[in-house]
């Protein structure tokens, strides 16, 4: 169901969590650009969760750090089976305003038809979101902050002009020059590079982060294009070319 013109990236998503020791799946609702589910906190005023894709337990979306929340630097990983110990936790940060019995609407945001972030909002008695006193601008910056999957340490955010660079540098590494690598230029929030294709009129590539060939950004499917449904993965040492 592509409500609002955005095609959901998965046939279905289920949330699994600590409220039943991760034993059951609860279906999330597709709401036009995100999957949503309301979680109610128990006596501990905390709830941890992961997201199961298409009903397959070994295909989970999970964060890159334990007890992730909107106030910690992290990124989405999966869907795969390497989720052990990695979960989002509502109530891990006092800024959630968590209390026993509080309800939160959890959403897996897919604004362009691709999963980009997980967030949650505290709900009032009327079912509407209530403020917890958080500066939403800061939350968005932290949520989008890059994470180096190889070292497990937060990447340094570099400032250039009025924009913050997520990486110190990016190189495009492609088939047109036998994968030698060319620096990309940061231009108003986007890394750019012009390439010239050879006689075949085609070129495959991936993007290398901060000079490490073991730290690559790549698509989720082989031979991805702008017209093929896919999402970004990495930076890590795996990957397909696009």
């Amino acid at each position: 169901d592509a409500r609002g013109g955005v095609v959901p990236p998965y046939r279905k998503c289920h949330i699994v969590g600590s409220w039943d020791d991760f034993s059951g799946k609860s279906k999330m609702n597709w709401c036009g650009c995100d999957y949503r589910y309301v979680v109610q906190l128990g006596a501990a005023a905390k709830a941890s969760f992961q997201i199961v894709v298409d009903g397959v337990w070994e295909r989970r979306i999970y964060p890159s750090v334990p007890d992730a929340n909107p106030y910690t630097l992290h990124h989405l990983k999966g869907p795969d089976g390497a989720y052990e110990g990695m979960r989002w936790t509502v109530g891990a940060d006092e800024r959630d305003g968590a209390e026993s019995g509080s309800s939160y609407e959890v959403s897996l945001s897919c604004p362009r038809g691709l999963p980009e972030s997980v967030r949650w909002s505290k709900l009032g008695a009327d079912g509407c979101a209530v403020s917890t006193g958080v500066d939403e601008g800061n939350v968005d910056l932290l949520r989008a902050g890059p994470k180096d999957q190889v070292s497990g340490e937060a990447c340094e955010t570099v400032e250039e002009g009025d924009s913050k660079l997520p990486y110190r540098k990016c190189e495009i590494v492609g088939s047109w020059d036998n994968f030698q690598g060319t620096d990309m230029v940061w231009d108003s929030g986007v890394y750019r590079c012009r390439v010239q294709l050879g006689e075949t009129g085609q070129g495959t590539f991936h993007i290398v982060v901060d000079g490490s060939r073991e730290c690559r950004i790549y698509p989720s499917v082989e031979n991805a294009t702008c017209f093929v449904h896919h999402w970004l993965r990495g930076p890590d040492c795996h990957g397909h070319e696009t």
Side-chain angles (χ1 to χ4, degrees):
D1 180 10
R3 299 180 196 175
V6 178
V7 177
Y10 309 112
R11 292 189 298 275
K12 57 186 176 180
C13 282
H14 291 83
I15 191 169
V16 295
S18 56
W19 46 87
D20 61 359
D21 200 25
F22 291 85
S23 62
K25 300 193 297 283
S26 298
K27 188 176 180 181
M28 303 181 76
N29 295 317
W30 176 252
C31 298
C33 64
D34 54 14
Y35 294 93
R36 299 182 186 180
Y37 183 80
V38 175
V39 171
Q40 186 172 29
L41 304 187
K46 284 186 179 182
S48 298
F49 65 91
Q50 299 161 336
I51 295 171
V52 173
V53 169
D54 293 337
V56 181
W57 283 97
E58 293 303 308
R59 294 194 69 213
R60 299 194 199 184
I61 296 173
Y62 54 94
S64 56
V65 299
D67 292 322
N69 59 72
Y71 318 104
T72 58
L73 286 169
H74 72 280
H75 56 263
L76 274 63
K77 298 185 75 173
D80 58 40
Y83 52 80
E84 193 66 36
M86 299 299 181
R87 56 192 66 176
W88 286 278
T89 300
V90 181
D93 190 289
E94 63 181 11
R95 286 170 286 187
D96 277 336
E99 301 172 294
S100 175
S102 296
S103 294
Y104 292 79
E105 185 175 60
V106 173
S107 66
L108 170 62
S109 181
C110 311
R112 293 173 291 181
L114 305 172
E116 290 190 0
S117 65
V118 167
R119 65 190 74 186
W120 48 84
S121 300
K122 188 175 184 179
L123 302 179
D126 58 358
C128 296
V130 298
S131 173
T132 56
V134 175
D135 181 342
E136 286 296 329
N138 289 338
V139 172
D140 284 341
L141 174 61
L142 291 174
R143 184 183 299 117
K147 195 80 172 174
D148 184 338
Q149 288 181 256
V150 177
S151 68
E153 298 177 353
C155 296
E156 178 184 358
T157 300
V158 183
E159 294 191 14
E160 182 171 295
D162 295 328
S163 301
K164 292 182 180 293
L165 281 66
Y167 307 107
R168 289 184 292 275
K169 68 173 183 175
C170 283
E171 298 172 76
I172 188 168
V173 180
S175 57
W176 46 82
D177 63 354
N178 199 27
F179 296 91
Q180 294 300 305
T182 303
D183 285 346
M184 304 182 77
V185 177
W186 179 256
D187 179 17
S188 302
V190 178
Y191 288 101
R192 302 180 188 272
C193 183
R194 291 187 178 183
V195 300
Q196 185 171 1
L197 302 181
E199 294 179 356
T200 64
Q202 294 183 343
T204 60
F205 67 94
H206 55 255
I207 295 171
V208 170
V209 171
D210 293 340
S212 171
R213 293 296 176 104
E214 297 301 304
C215 197
R216 300 193 291 262
I217 297 173
Y218 55 94
S220 57
V221 299
E222 293 186 31
N223 297 318
T225 72
C226 297
F227 312 105
V228 173
H229 183 68
H230 69 280
W231 58 93
L232 296 182
R233 286 185 169 175
D236 58 35
C237 61
H238 306 293
H240 307 292
E241 277 80 40
T242 186

